Amino acid sequence: MTRRRRKKTGTTQRRFGRRSFLAGAVVLAGGAAAALLHRCGTVPVSNPPAPAVNPALPSGEWRAVWVSYLDWAELDFSGADPFRAGAAQLLDNCAGLGLNTVIAQVRPFGDALYRSSLYPWSHLCTGRQGQDPGFDPLDIFLQEAHRRGISVEAWINPYRLRSSGAMPPNLAPENLVNTHPEWLCTVGEGTYLNPAEPAAADYVVQGVAELLQNYPVDGIHFDDYFYPSTDAALDAAQFAASGASDLGSWRRQKVTALVQAVYRTVKAADPTLRFGISPQGNPDNDVNQQYSDVTAWLAAGGEQAVIDYLCPQVYWGYGFTLSSGSTRFAFENILPEWLSYPRAEDVALYFGLGAYRIGTGDGSSDGDSVRRWSTGSALAAQVEDLRSKGAQGWALYRYGSLFGASAPELAAAECAALRRINGAEP
C-alpha cells in the first residue's frame, strides 16, 4: 500500500471526521539560543534543497536520538525565525552523527507541544500552560527534518499529567486534572491518568488520531511510563468491579489494550507509519511493576500485533554490577537476554543507549563505572556490539548529553567515534 499523501501543515483550520481539529504546530520550549553551543563541536547549519516528496521511514539500521522536553528548553522559542534556526542546528547535529531518526517529545505532561483541541499548550512554549505561542514550531521542525532526510517520531507520555508539584509549574483550566478529575490517580506528588479508566485510555487514543491527522510525523513513540505504582489501592474499585482474580494480569491487559488501540489507530491513519515503545531495560520491572507485557508484545504479529518495534532502555555499561554481585544487567549480558526473546517477524528490536552516562558512569557497585564511561568511545563500542549481534538499530538518550550547554567535555570524543562508525566523518 502506498504511503499516505503528506498534508500541508500550517495555521489553516480543517475538519476531520467526527471532530473538528485545528491544523497547526508544536512549540517545544522556551530557552536561550546561546545554549546551542555544545561539546561535540557545532555542525554548520545547512540549507539543503527540499526533496520532491518527504522521505520514507529509514530502511536498514535505525539510528535515532531522543529529543526530550529538557532539550527543547535549550532552544529559543521567542519567534518563528529563532526557533527555525535552533531546529536547523539541532537537526544538522543529528545528521552529522549519521542519525536518521529523531524521537521528539511532544506531549510530556498531558499538555501539547503542538496545536491541539484535546490538550492545552505546554508550559514549555511560553512559560504558561495553555498559552498559544503564536507560531507553528512542529510544522517548522518537520519541514527542516524532512528536508534533511530525517524521520520524526512523535514521542508521547500517555498517562503522566504532573511529575511533581513544580512540574509543570502551572496547570491550564482545560488540563485533564481540572476537566476530568474522575480519571486521575496520584502517586506521591505525581498525577496520572488512571490506566484502569477506559474513558481516559480512549482519550489518549483520540489524541494520537488527532496528531496523525494534523501532522506528517513518521510514527508514534511511547516511553516507559505505564502504571505509576504497584499499590493495589490505585485502581481497587475498578479491579473489584471487573471480577478478575489476578491484579497483575488484569493490569497488563489494561495496558496492552491501550497499546493495541494506539497501534491500530496508527495503522488506520497510514499502514506505513510505525508505533514503537521504549520500555525499561529490566524486563522484570516492565512486566511486574509497570505492567507492560513486553515479551508478549515482541511475540505478537499479524492480526495480533500491538507494536512495530520495541526499544528497551539498556542504559548500563560493560561490567555493570549490582550490590548483590549480579551482572545480569551488564551490557554484555542484558543484550543477549533481550535478543533471545521470541519475536514476530514483523516486529523490530532496537536498543536505547545511555548517552547521559558519559563521564558520570552507571552506578555499578564495582566502583569502576566512571572509568568505563570516560573512554570517549563508550557509545560507539556498544553500537558496534549491537551490529555484531544482529540488532536492528539503536537510539541515544538524549540529545543534550551530546550537544548543548550541559554536555560534558567527553561528548566531543564520543561524537567523533559515532561519526567514524556511522561513516559520517566530515
Side-chain angles (χ1 to χ4, degrees):
M1 190 167 183
T2 57
R3 185 169 178 77
R4 66 179 174 150
R5 185 177 180 180
R6 293 282 187 180
K7 299 179 180 72
K8 294 181 179 179
T9 51
T11 57
T12 306
Q13 272 192 304
R14 308 174 203 149
R15 288 187 183 273
F16 296 101
R18 296 176 302 160
R19 188 180 296 274
S20 178
F21 294 127
L22 289 176
V26 132
V27 101
L28 303 166
L36 289 170
L37 297 175
H38 51 76
R39 301 300 186 188
C40 277
T42 300
V43 176
V45 175
S46 64
N47 190 27
V53 179
N54 283 329
L57 288 171
S59 60
E61 185 179 60
W62 189 72
R63 299 188 296 272
V65 65
W66 279 284
V67 174
S68 81
Y69 76 93
L70 299 170
D71 300 313
W72 299 131
E74 294 195 353
L75 300 185
D76 184 345
F77 284 77
S78 62
D81 289 343
F83 175 79
R84 185 180 293 275
Q89 183 68 77
L90 182 154
L91 291 160
D92 278 340
N93 290 339
C94 293
L97 285 185
L99 306 181
N100 52 33
T101 304
V102 168
I103 307 166
Q105 190 170 29
V106 300
R107 198 193 314 146
F109 298 107
D111 50 8
L113 294 163
Y114 55 92
R115 193 177 301 280
S116 172
S117 65
L118 301 176
Y119 297 92
W121 283 102
S122 172
H123 78 281
L124 297 165
C125 302
T126 63
R128 177 161 294 278
Q129 190 177 84
Q131 183 174 335
D132 190 330
F135 73 104
D136 192 338
L138 182 55
D139 185 32
I140 293 172
F141 193 79
L142 288 168
Q143 288 176 22
E144 295 297 327
H146 288 152
R147 289 173 65 198
R148 289 161 173 78
I150 295 176
S151 292
V152 178
E153 298 192 12
W155 168 15
I156 291 170
N157 188 298
Y159 296 125
R160 183 177 63 190
L161 302 179
R162 204 168 204 175
S163 60
S164 70
M167 183 55 70
N170 57 75
L171 297 178
E174 63 270 30
N175 189 287
L176 292 174
V177 168
N178 298 315
T179 61
H180 285 285
E182 73 277 12
W183 292 355
L184 309 183
C185 61
T186 58
V187 178
E189 293 187 354
T191 304
Y192 306 85
L193 292 178
N194 192 325
E197 283 292 336
D202 183 62
Y203 202 86
V204 172
V205 176
Q206 290 180 47
V208 170
E210 178 193 48
L211 180 57
L212 292 174
Q213 288 170 340
N214 289 349
Y215 294 94
V217 297
D218 299 291
I220 298 295
H221 181 95
F222 282 4
D223 56 17
D224 61 319
Y225 286 94
F226 289 100
Y227 256 85
S229 172
T230 59
D231 186 354
L234 193 73
D235 48 10
Q238 294 92 338
F239 178 60
S242 73
S245 59
D246 183 80
L247 179 62
S249 296
W250 179 78
R251 284 179 167 179
R252 283 187 287 274
Q253 290 169 7
K254 288 292 183 181
V255 172
T256 296
L258 170 65
V259 170
Q260 189 167 56
V262 170
Y263 174 83
R264 290 174 176 172
T265 298
V266 170
K267 297 306 176 184
D270 180 348
T272 70
L273 298 181
R274 301 200 311 158
F275 173 49
I277 292 177
S278 179
Q280 289 188 21
N282 181 343
D284 296 344
N285 286 353
D286 293 324
V287 173
N288 299 316
Q289 293 186 15
Q290 295 193 316
Y291 306 98
S292 48
D293 205 353
V294 292
T295 54
W297 297 348
L298 279 173
E303 293 297 318
Q304 303 304 314
V306 292
I307 54 171
D308 288 299
Y309 70 83
L310 213 62
C311 183
Q313 300 169 20
V314 182
Y315 292 160
W316 304 285
Y318 296 97
F320 175 81
T321 306
L322 294 171
S323 58
S324 65
S326 170
T327 58
R328 177 190 176 189
F329 300 110
F331 187 81
E332 66 272 23
N333 295 329
I334 195 62
L335 173 60
E337 179 176 334
W338 276 101
L339 287 168
S340 72
Y341 293 131
R343 189 166 78 251
E345 185 178 356
D346 51 354
V347 176
L349 180 61
Y350 309 135
F351 290 88
L353 306 180
Y356 72 101
R357 302 290 202 185
I358 295 169
T360 61
D362 52 25
S364 174
S365 67
D366 69 355
D368 201 29
S369 69
V370 173
R371 181 195 62 80
R372 289 193 292 260
W373 284 95
S374 299
T375 63
S377 59
L379 295 172
Q382 290 186 336
V383 169
E384 290 187 308
D385 206 357
L386 289 174
R387 289 171 176 169
S388 72
K389 291 179 171 57
Q392 296 163 286
W394 44 274
L396 305 170
Y397 184 81
R398 58 183 173 85
Y399 175 84
S401 298
L402 295 173
F403 304 94
S406 62
E409 293 290 343
L410 276 171
E414 292 284 344
C415 286
L418 286 169
R419 291 188 189 104
R420 183 170 61 253
I421 65 168
N422 290 334
E425 289 183 297

